[in-house]
Amino acid sequence: RTPAPVGAGYGLAIWLASYEGWVPEVTALPPISADRPGRPAVMAVGHVVYGVTLAAVLNRFHDRRDR
């Protein structure tokens, strides 16, 4: 089973690696430090929700497999 905090950390890791890495390189968005106020926080929360949801879905599949 994957704990929700691990999923949240995974989502934040993806956010940080993307928005300080390849996203500014392809000029899709500016880096976190240069983005408009508020957007980095919203994007981080969205990635936390993604990570927690991913953990929940993986746990559900795991539970079904064990039945």
Side-chain angles (χ1 to χ4, degrees):
R1 295 193 54 84
T2 304
V6 171
Y10 177 74
L12 282 175
I14 290 174
W15 169 74
L16 186 60
S18 297
Y19 288 88
E20 284 298 319
W22 68 269
V23 171
E25 282 294 316
V26 299
T27 65
L29 290 172
I32 296 167
S33 60
D35 207 350
R36 68 177 192 237
R39 188 191 327 208
V42 171
M43 297 301 284
V45 169
H47 280 77
V48 167
V49 169
Y50 163 75
V52 170
T53 303
L54 178 62
V57 168
L58 290 173
N59 289 338
R60 187 156 198 158
F61 283 138
H62 183 261
D63 291 344
R64 284 186 178 180
R65 188 186 67 192
D66 288 345
R67 283 190 215 168

